[in-house]
Amino acid sequence: MTTETAYDLIFRNALLRSSAAPVDIGVSGGRIAAIEPKLTCEGLACEAVEVEVGGRLALPGFVDTHIHLDKACLLGRCGHDHGSVSEAIRAVAGMKKDFTVEDVYARGARVLERAIAYGTMRMRTHVEIDPRIGLRGFEAIRSLKRDYAWAIDLELCVFPQEGLTNDPGAEELLIQALRNGGEAIGGCPYMDTDPNAHLERIFDLAQEFDVDVDLHLDFDLDPSWWHLDEVCRQTERRNYQGRVAIGHATKLSALPPERMKTATAQLARAGVAVTVLPATDLYLMGREATHNAPRGVTLAHKLAGDGVLCSVATNNVLNPFTPFGDASLLRMANLYANVAHASVSDFDTCLDLVTELPARLMNLGDYGIKVGNPADLIVLDTQDSRFAVAELPDVLMGFKAGRQTFARQRPTLFSPRS
């Protein structure tokens, strides 16, 4: 087959989720120029570097919609016997007044590098903005965005963790951050003395600066009250469908079937997405139970099947909210699949929850292994996409805009007979 353009790079024998057999992927100028069974440079000068994928699975990189790089890696700085969300918030609040730009940068870089090496290529990080931390965390994460742009696209979602209407000075700082590179705005209404006013102001700022909304919401297991109704009302009133996400939403996991059906329809109608954070939700929910402890994890794959846009994400790494983690989204998808009782027929959706669906949540129009898109892809050590979540294969290599960003060697076994 004759191609119209020469290539800088050709991936040979890459298995795509959309292809029944391996294909070749031609890259020119950092973008995907062709996807065909057998690419040649017949009749053209071709000095392309060739990468043999060997029939393994190529994905367009994982997408993490909800992580906190600014408060990662705090193990050892405080006790971690925290039994509730509010206790974890207080623990970090007691430390963050002493955070420096250099400290936040170093801890964030540690997690970011692990995420890159595990195949994450797009990420929305929530950054706390309030009078205690000021803009120091924001400045550090903005520097990380710049310094690691060669490997990952980092989006900054600024938000007031400890309230807004009850925290003088927080709004002014939020506005400053939005003027200086904040790309989305979040909120935490359950920490405010006036939750509805909190939400009203967050949506006001979102519209003023034309940014998406990504809220921490309904983070407990008491379904007798919630802020979901107000979020959906604000979304529809402002025609913000498709630009609003809620994280945690653990109350949804406590609903009986009929109420869950109603809530699902409400979310789908309002165009409000849901991000489930398995590691944190499991760690903090149901800790007071003496037996039959609830999981507290909302079933994202079932919501997705009923028309609600969903993602599974990391949230926290090695801190009072989640004293675990390695920033691997494939591992997080596997954890979710286990906890959510996903069946084998759900495995593809579980992979969608860390790839295609979060890309839609973040409105990433150039995501995917498609002609014309950036040549961003990772290679997994598996030849069957159905089992990527099930078997946790190694992520062997990654390329950002056609440039290799990481590689991992396959392990070698040394048999005594060899």
Side-chain angles (χ1 to χ4, degrees):
M1 185 175 297
T2 302
T3 60
E4 295 181 0
T5 59
Y7 307 107
D8 310 314
L9 173 68
I10 297 176
F11 295 98
R12 297 290 187 192
N13 299 308
L15 179 68
L16 305 183
R17 294 180 72 189
S18 59
S19 60
V23 295
D24 294 346
I25 303 169
V27 177
S28 180
R31 291 189 172 271
I32 297 172
I35 302 174
E36 298 178 12
K38 295 290 182 182
L39 278 179
T40 71
C41 295
E42 187 177 317
L44 293 170
C46 186
E47 299 177 357
V49 173
E50 296 196 5
V51 176
E52 177 57 55
V53 179
R56 297 182 184 88
L57 177 65
L59 296 175
F62 298 120
V63 182
D64 201 330
T65 61
H66 191 127
I67 192 170
H68 295 264
L69 294 176
D70 56 342
K71 57 189 181 190
C73 303
L74 294 173
L75 289 184
R77 296 195 187 185
C78 68
H80 284 76
D81 297 324
H82 308 298
S84 69
V85 176
S86 58
E87 287 177 10
I89 290 173
R90 282 195 298 271
V92 173
M95 290 185 283
K96 72 180 174 185
K97 65 182 184 297
D98 298 320
F99 289 174
T100 64
V101 173
E102 295 74 20
D103 170 48
V104 175
Y105 184 98
R107 290 184 288 101
R110 176 180 166 189
V111 174
L112 199 56
E113 288 181 5
R114 296 200 74 174
I116 291 167
Y118 281 119
T120 297
M121 288 193 165
R122 311 284 185 108
M123 177 183 285
R124 173 181 287 172
T125 182
H126 291 249
V127 185
E128 294 188 19
I129 307 288
D130 60 46
R132 287 152 297 283
I133 184 67
L135 295 175
R136 297 190 303 279
F138 176 75
E139 290 171 14
I141 304 302
R142 190 172 56 178
S143 294
L144 286 173
K145 174 184 173 72
R146 177 197 65 217
D147 294 347
Y148 285 88
W150 55 271
I152 190 167
D153 294 326
L154 189 60
E155 180 185 275
L156 279 64
C157 178
V158 297
F159 85 112
Q161 170 75 80
E162 297 169 50
L164 181 60
T165 70
N166 57 326
D167 198 3
E171 182 173 324
E172 291 75 12
L173 288 166
L174 270 177
I175 291 171
Q176 258 188 278
L178 287 166
R179 285 175 176 160
N180 288 281
E183 299 157 286
I185 188 168
C188 205
Y190 54 81
M191 292 300 295
D192 204 303
T193 51
D194 192 340
N196 284 356
H198 180 113
L199 289 168
E200 178 90 21
R201 191 62 190 128
I202 293 300
F203 274 90
D204 284 345
L205 290 170
Q207 286 193 298
E208 180 181 343
F209 287 93
D210 191 23
V211 295
D212 291 356
V213 175
D214 198 331
L215 303 159
H216 293 65
L217 205 78
D218 295 336
F219 194 12
D220 61 49
L221 297 176
D222 179 2
S224 66
W225 64 273
W226 62 12
H227 298 127
L228 178 63
D229 291 339
E230 179 64 12
V231 170
C232 290
R233 189 184 76 82
Q234 291 280 354
T235 301
E236 292 179 300
R237 181 168 74 85
R238 298 168 188 263
N239 294 317
Y240 237 57
Q241 295 92 335
R243 300 192 67 181
V244 178
I246 58 175
H248 297 293
T250 50
K251 286 180 186 286
L252 291 172
S253 74
L255 294 181
E258 282 308 307
R259 281 196 64 192
M260 187 61 183
K261 184 178 179 181
T262 301
T264 300
Q266 182 180 16
L267 287 163
R269 182 178 63 251
V272 172
V274 176
T275 295
V276 174
L277 305 161
T280 302
D281 298 347
L282 280 168
Y283 180 69
L284 289 176
M285 295 297 100
R287 294 180 69 85
E288 71 284 352
T290 59
H291 59 286
N292 283 343
R295 292 175 170 87
V297 174
T298 291
L299 300 183
H301 69 290
K302 291 188 178 298
L303 280 173
D306 290 327
V308 179
L309 183 58
C310 291
S311 69
V312 162
T314 300
N315 197 41
N316 282 290
V317 177
L318 305 176
N319 74 9
F321 294 86
T322 321
F324 312 101
D326 58 3
S328 166
L329 275 181
L330 190 60
R331 185 183 67 83
M332 196 61 68
N334 175 275
L335 173 64
Y336 168 80
N338 275 273
V339 171
H341 290 154
S343 64
V344 174
S345 61
D346 297 320
F347 286 176
D348 268 329
T349 302
C350 290
L351 188 57
D352 290 339
L353 288 168
V354 292
T355 53
E356 306 290 341
L357 297 180
R360 283 176 50 201
L361 186 153
M362 289 179 62
N363 292 303
L364 302 176
D366 63 352
Y367 179 83
I369 301 178
K370 302 172 185 175
V371 172
N373 279 357
D376 300 348
L377 63 86
I378 58 175
V379 176
L380 276 61
D381 193 14
T382 182
Q383 296 180 319
D384 193 331
S385 64
R386 296 174 301 169
F387 302 133
V389 168
E391 62 179 334
L392 289 175
D394 287 337
V395 185
L396 296 177
M397 65 184 83
F399 292 77
K400 180 74 172 165
R403 176 190 175 276
Q404 187 159 11
T405 53
F406 73 90
R408 181 179 286 108
Q409 298 301 315
R410 299 182 73 188
T412 301
L413 299 182
F414 297 97
S415 164
R417 295 183 296 275
S418 61

